Amino acid sequence: MNSITPRPNFHGPDDYVEHVAACRASGHEPFAPATIAELHAALDEWPEYARRWLPPAEDCERLGIDRRIGQPVEPLSEREQERLLVTLAKDDDFRLAFRTLLMGGAA
């Protein structure tokens, strides 16, 4: 959406999630969440995408948001990397779930 498009009245977090999904599918920028419920819904659906709307870490805790969302993550150790690759090679269901997560789909 652009700066002159008025923000629609969403009838709850589910409507907002549908809006974000439609915008992501069409390549448009969705409106930022206006309520805590909308922010929580977006974080539940797309934690990496929605982190752009997170308040400062000290406010996250007050709002009931895990303050670790959006923080840098330690890389996997060599042993963990090897275990991941072996599991990907041998477990078809895990491989499909992993691919879905990487491609931004639902878990």
Side-chain angles (χ1 to χ4, degrees), residues 1 7 10 16-17 19-21 23-24 28-57 59-60 63 65 69-70:
M1 304 296 124
R7 187 179 196 279
F10 299 112
Y16 179 72
V17 167
H19 161 73
V20 175
C23 287
R24 291 189 69 199
H28 292 95
E29 182 65 27
F31 288 101
T35 66
I36 295 170
E38 289 176 358
L39 178 58
H40 277 282
L43 286 168
D44 288 344
E45 193 72 27
W46 308 281
E48 285 300 314
Y49 184 80
R51 74 186 214 179
R52 67 183 67 205
W53 299 312
L54 284 176
D59 292 335
C60 284
L63 296 174
I65 299 169
I69 292 176

Side-chain angles (χ1 to χ4, degrees), residues 24-91:
R24 291 189 69 199
S26 67
H28 292 95
E29 182 65 27
F31 288 101
T35 66
I36 295 170
E38 289 176 358
L39 178 58
H40 277 282
L43 286 168
D44 288 344
E45 193 72 27
W46 308 281
E48 285 300 314
Y49 184 80
R51 74 186 214 179
R52 67 183 67 205
W53 299 312
L54 284 176
E58 58 273 4
D59 292 335
C60 284
E61 186 174 340
R62 191 170 47 82
L63 296 174
I65 299 169
D66 185 348
R67 64 185 314 159
R68 295 173 297 177
I69 292 176
Q71 299 300 314
V73 178
E74 290 286 322
L76 296 175
S77 68
E78 285 187 38
R79 182 172 187 268
E80 291 168 327
Q81 290 176 32
E82 184 177 324
R83 290 179 68 195
L84 175 64
L85 292 174
V86 167
T87 304
L88 285 169
K90 294 184 177 186
D91 188 332

